[in-house]
Amino acid sequence: MRHFARFIAKAIAFLSPVLKQGGGTSAPGLALLKLDPKAITRMANGLSDGRIVISATNGKTTTTRILSKITDNAKISSVSNTAGANLKSGIATTLLRRSPSHKLGVFEVDEGVLPEIVTEIKPNIIVLMNLFRDQLDRYGELEKIRENWKSMIDGLPECTKLLVNADDPSLVFAALGHPNLVFFGLGETRYALESIPHASDSSQCPRCNNQLQYSQITISHMGDWHCTQCGLSRPDLDFEAIEIQLQGVERIKFKVLSRTGEEVIEAKLPGLYNVYNALAAFTAARQLNIEAAVAQTAIASVNAAFGRTESIQLADKDLTLLLAKNPAGANSNLDTLLLHPDKFHLAVLLNDRIADGRDVSWIWDVDYEKIFHKIESMHVGGERAYDLALRFMYGGYSTERITVNDKIGHLIDCLMTETPSNETIFVLPSYTAMLDLRAELVNRGLTHDFWEEEL
Amino acid sequence: MTTVRICHLYPDNMNIYGDRGNISVLIKRLEWRGHSAIVTRVGIGEEFLPGDFDLCYLGGGQDRDQNIIASDLANKAAGIRSAASDGVAFLWVCGGIQLAGHEYTDSYGTTLPGVGILDLETVAGEERLIGDVVLDANIGDDSFTIVGYENHIGRTYLGPDARPLGTVIKGFGNNGTSGDEGAVQQRVIGTYLHGPLLPKNPILADELLTWSLEHRSLGKTSLEPLGDDFTEAAQARAIERAHAKR
Ligand SMILES: [Zn+2]
């Protein structure tokens, strides 16, 4: 029966790219789990060099890609769900595709199913990066995920190594008490924010509910924090990003300070959020005893995952996609756009399908106003285009300068004909809006399917 | 020109569903008519002075935040009740409608007292009620459509002194069974609808602004209508999509 289940699932895995079912990243695993619910545990057992899981609201796909690239360069034969299918079905599909030579697993896991996956996959390394508000309709309350993560950590075997972003207070609170902790975070940087953004949550002490004090705020509620009431504070960093340089919308450069010295990291990825991603991947690589030099080279060569700062040539215009699926992510993207030296053409796209979150009220928590002065032309699109139009209208953006294009084909036509040659278009899409836009660009032969991309 | 004094209660704790958008709409719709607004943020430990405001807004928060503010709200309850009976306009959304009632009993069986400006009680149910909502709303002599989004575990039951804000055409409403959504009593409006509520429901926004202008200037006020294509299209699209099978 087991073999039959795997056979059926593998047949689906073979067929689904042909059938264009999202590259077959989830369907085979879904079929397998129906026939054999314990399949993940059984298949993961074979990964004798270890199993790493990476979870976060934002950045888990990119971090998984970077770490995967590092293990490839280190000649460690590993399997990874790098196309972003991060629910049980996606992980089962990844494990199905594993060849017997794969000894290490690197998995990005959705924050909602993390405790369940951890029970099944028994990872020896867990990387926890951040928790932000996301898809309010789906989980009801962010607090619930935090509680679930804390109970998960309380039940971990001592030998499980926990890599935690020390800049996120709620993660530190959840992790404290676990004997096997590695903390990473950002040292002093000139790119810090002046105040806590409106969209942030949990700037209260996770232990005593007192308002936290910050000597540095990086993204949302993250930074160098402490509580004046109970004394909880950001722990000492084992891996600290210092001398951070954000080089436009293209690159970052920083040093990682650790017990073993200082290593320069460069990446073709923009923004402070990618400093966190690269730092997390580097920290994980060092736990696997991969040489720093190997990790550095790999990080320098990695390309952003599809839709996350992906550049696509639109005739003689440059279009860059920056996935923006929740307030923290969208605000980070806006900060990155501010690094662009010139004015630009902007398209913001919003859908409200299950994968986006049905509740779109979060767009009112994004500080779009801070880029108004950089916008040369403004398009809104997706199924909830008019909600975006109202968001910009009440933000004070001139309604005459907003073009609504709720059909993706029209939007692309419009951007192609109206944007002057050699100018830059930035697109901030929600998740399925990004997939729709890419699909249309693929149809027009302007880019490739996401499952064909190189790491 | 009149300056409306808006109190935004617990903006740091109760702000989860884009509540800032409701405040923006109130400010902008005043400014577009030559009026203005002063928004005062009143948080934990800060005093609520009933004579200082014409309109009071409270938004939604997570359970944890709602618990944090509940005890502080008890200190402000007398002032809030006095403002409500003095004709100050109120819009209390999501967690707000629960706290505007007499009491709220959460999923753990803990009862939080409300301020009692709406005659209603709320008890946590089993499943969250989530999704798009369309209402036939009635305020005074005005009938109009309201669109929004709901996501609540609370089941709210109205007493005799509160009228529903509207009849549910699509969605769950106060408790999933009564067919009612929200509550109105004097100039206090409570509702579960966010999205946020006011951008796509300008008639409701203007109703609240009319009340607050009247409170400020002690005279009958009427606001000139403002039309814009985006609002109309957004509302039409929301109604269409709520009715479409998804
Ligand atoms: Zn504390």
Side-chain angles (χ1 to χ4, degrees):
Chain A
M1 178 64 192
R2 253 185 240 166
H3 293 290
F4 175 67
R6 291 192 62 162
F7 172 76
I8 296 284
K10 284 204 168 176
I12 299 169
F14 172 75
L15 284 172
S16 50
V18 183
L19 301 171
K20 299 258 177 172
Q21 294 293 309
T25 52
S26 293
L30 199 62
L32 175 62
L33 290 172
K34 283 233 166 77
L35 296 162
D36 180 5
K38 293 253 188 297
I40 289 182
T41 305
R42 193 155 32 242
M43 292 189 295
N45 262 338
L47 295 165
S48 52
D49 283 356
R51 296 157 302 277
I52 303 171
V53 300
I54 297 168
S55 195
T57 309
N58 291 342
K60 53 189 177 291
T61 302
T62 301
T63 305
T64 303
R65 281 176 73 83
I66 301 172
L67 185 55
S68 212
K69 182 78 181 178
I70 298 172
T71 57
D72 281 0
N73 280 24
K75 304 272 186 301
I76 300 172
S77 175
S78 68
V79 62
S80 178
N81 54 340
T82 46
N86 57 24
L87 298 170
K88 284 180 76 170
S89 53
I91 288 162
T93 305
T94 304
L95 285 166
L96 260 178
R97 294 222 172 107
R98 157 182 176 244
S99 82
S101 67
H102 289 144
K103 295 294 181 210
L104 179 78
V106 181
F107 305 102
E108 72 153 281
V109 180
D110 175 272
E111 58 277 26
V113 300
L114 179 70
E116 205 181 331
I117 296 281
V118 163
T119 311
E120 295 189 18
I121 236 171
K122 298 183 182 63
N124 35 353
I125 296 178
I126 302 175
V127 185
L128 302 180
M129 303 186 50
N130 55 61
L131 281 176
F132 302 116
R133 279 183 208 175
D134 184 46
Q135 300 199 14
L136 297 161
D137 60 311
R138 190 168 140 216
Y139 291 123
E141 316 274 343
L142 177 62
E143 204 50 43
K144 196 80 214 148
I145 301 178
R146 294 207 179 99
E147 280 170 24
N148 292 344
W149 279 26
K150 187 155 175 50
S151 334
M152 168 194 86
I153 293 168
D154 289 343
L156 287 178
E158 287 195 3
C159 60
T160 308
K161 198 170 262 186
L162 204 53
L163 277 50
V164 178
N165 181 352
D167 289 1
D168 190 330
S170 61
L171 300 191
V172 170
F173 181 63
L176 283 178
H178 186 74
N180 206 343
L181 284 170
V182 178
F183 285 114
F184 60 90
L186 268 48
E188 210 181 308
T189 168
R190 65 193 170 98
Y191 301 103
L193 301 173
E194 280 166 20
S195 59
I196 289 259
H198 169 81
S200 77
D201 22 45
S202 69
S203 59
Q204 274 110 22
C205 175
R207 186 155 72 191
C208 75
N209 286 335
N210 187 38
Q211 186 62 41
L212 288 172
Q213 301 298 311
Y214 286 82
S215 50
Q216 170 166 291
I217 301 161
T218 54
I219 292 171
S220 188
H221 61 276
M222 303 202 304
D224 189 355
W225 52 275
H226 66 277
C227 173
T228 52
Q229 188 163 292
C230 75
L232 193 68
S233 65
R234 182 175 79 164
D236 291 341
L237 303 176
D238 301 298
F239 288 79
E240 179 178 3
I242 56 168
E243 297 173 37
I244 296 167
Q245 296 172 40
L246 304 180
Q247 299 164 343
V249 189
E250 286 85 36
R251 311 177 58 84
I252 47 174
K253 184 177 180 182
F254 61 98
K255 283 183 184 167
V256 179
L257 176 64
S258 70
R259 210 161 27 86
T260 55
E262 283 182 15
E263 266 91 31
V264 176
I265 304 287
E266 289 184 83
K268 297 180 284 180
L269 307 164
L272 220 45
Y273 48 101
N274 277 314
V275 174
Y276 278 109
N277 297 340
L279 174 66
F282 183 83
T283 305
R286 298 295 283 146
Q287 308 312 307
L288 295 167
N289 296 317
I290 295 171
E291 280 178 41
V294 172
Q296 285 164 294
T297 313
I299 294 171
S301 71
V302 82
N303 296 309
F306 68 97
R308 288 119 174 135
T309 33
E310 178 181 18
S311 280
I312 296 168
Q313 211 56 39
L314 214 61
D316 54 359
K317 296 108 183 153
D318 183 52
L319 180 145
T320 299
L321 278 168
L322 295 126
L323 176 67
K325 58 193 176 96
N326 51 38
N331 278 335
S332 295
N333 283 337
L334 298 178
D335 286 332
T336 302
L337 293 189
L338 287 174
L339 300 169
H340 188 72
D342 310 312
K343 282 190 155 191
F344 48 77
H345 304 269
L346 181 70
V348 185
L349 314 181
L350 180 67
N351 283 351
D352 62 353
R353 296 179 212 156
I354 290 169
D356 304 291
R358 284 274 161 87
D359 186 346
V360 299
S361 51
W362 62 271
I363 58 170
W364 295 83
D365 291 326
V366 179
D367 297 317
Y368 294 110
E369 287 80 359
K370 67 177 160 193
I371 58 157
F372 280 5
H373 66 285
K374 301 279 283 187
I375 302 173
E376 186 72 49
S377 77
M378 172 76 214
H379 293 259
V380 293
E383 290 149 2
R384 298 296 291 261
Y386 285 101
D387 288 72
L388 285 167
L390 291 181
R391 169 67 189 86
F392 280 83
M393 177 174 102
Y394 280 110
Y397 195 82
S398 160
T399 49
E400 286 103 66
R401 297 184 55 210
I402 302 171
T403 309
V404 180
N405 258 307
D406 52 356
K407 297 276 182 297
I408 211 79
H410 292 171
L411 174 76
I412 295 171
D413 292 341
C414 229
L415 290 174
M416 288 188 88
T417 52
E418 289 173 13
T419 313
S421 297
N422 306 315
E423 297 205 352
T424 304
I425 305 162
F426 288 111
V427 184
L428 305 180
S430 69
Y431 188 72
T432 69
M434 181 268 286
L435 296 181
D436 287 355
L437 177 65
R438 282 196 99 270
E440 181 65 23
L441 293 170
V442 170
N443 267 341
R444 297 185 184 203
L446 293 165
T447 188
H448 53 79
D449 282 316
F450 68 83
W451 55 86
E452 291 166 358
E453 72 181 357
E454 293 290 311
L455 273 186
Chain B
M1 188 199 116
T2 308
T3 300
V4 169
R5 301 161 305 167
I6 300 174
C7 167
H8 189 178
L9 268 180
Y10 307 111
D12 296 328
N13 308 83
M14 303 291 275
N15 61 11
I16 193 171
Y17 295 122
D19 294 285
R20 179 167 70 165
N22 286 330
I23 301 289
S24 301
V25 170
L26 294 169
I27 297 171
K28 280 286 186 306
R29 295 188 77 80
L30 283 168
E31 287 176 356
W32 290 338
R33 276 112 164 189
H35 298 299
S36 65
I38 301 175
V39 180
T40 308
R41 296 158 63 89
V42 177
I44 291 172
E46 290 166 349
E47 204 176 351
F48 177 90
L49 295 167
D52 283 3
F53 305 114
D54 309 302
L55 196 157
C56 176
Y57 182 84
L58 176 61
Q62 303 190 51
D63 285 349
R64 177 168 175 263
D65 294 307
Q66 198 159 324
N67 287 322
I68 292 173
I69 66 139
S71 60
D72 185 83
L73 189 63
N75 301 331
K76 297 181 169 69
I80 288 168
R81 279 194 292 271
S82 136
S85 58
D86 186 44
V88 170
F90 280 70
L91 178 63
W92 283 24
V93 173
C94 292
I97 186 175
Q98 300 171 347
L99 294 166
H102 303 298
E103 57 181 43
Y104 170 54
T105 306
D106 71 14
S107 313
Y108 303 99
T110 312
T111 297
L112 299 176
V115 296
I117 50 174
L118 287 174
D119 184 19
L120 58 86
E121 279 183 17
T122 305
V123 187
E126 295 283 315
E127 300 282 318
R128 296 189 78 84
L129 305 178
I130 304 176
D132 294 315
V133 185
V134 180
L135 302 182
D136 271 346
N138 279 291
I139 296 178
D141 300 329
D142 293 335
S143 297
F144 54 100
T145 303
I146 289 181
V147 297
Y149 192 89
E150 64 183 328
N151 181 351
H152 52 106
I153 192 114
R155 307 293 190 267
T156 294
Y157 299 92
L158 305 192
D161 292 343
R163 285 164 287 123
L165 172 64
T167 307
V168 175
I169 303 300
K170 199 80 199 173
F172 296 101
N174 284 339
N175 49 51
T177 52
S178 68
D180 291 343
E181 207 295 322
V184 186
Q185 190 174 337
Q186 292 179 292
R187 287 171 171 172
V188 179
I189 296 179
T191 176
Y192 278 113
L193 302 194
H194 61 263
L197 176 66
L198 296 182
K200 288 207 285 282
N201 297 293
I203 298 177
L204 183 65
D206 286 353
E207 196 85 45
L208 286 159
L209 291 175
T210 305
W211 288 345
S212 50
L213 284 164
E214 286 179 359
H215 180 262
R216 185 78 179 114
S217 57
L218 303 168
K220 202 77 190 139
T221 307
S222 67
L223 281 172
E224 72 202 76
L226 294 170
D228 77 274
D229 299 344
F230 289 155
T231 304
E232 281 158 34
Q235 197 183 62
R237 212 50 76 86
I239 294 169
E240 190 182 301
R241 290 168 59 80
H243 286 290
K245 209 170 171 201
R246 292 212 275 162

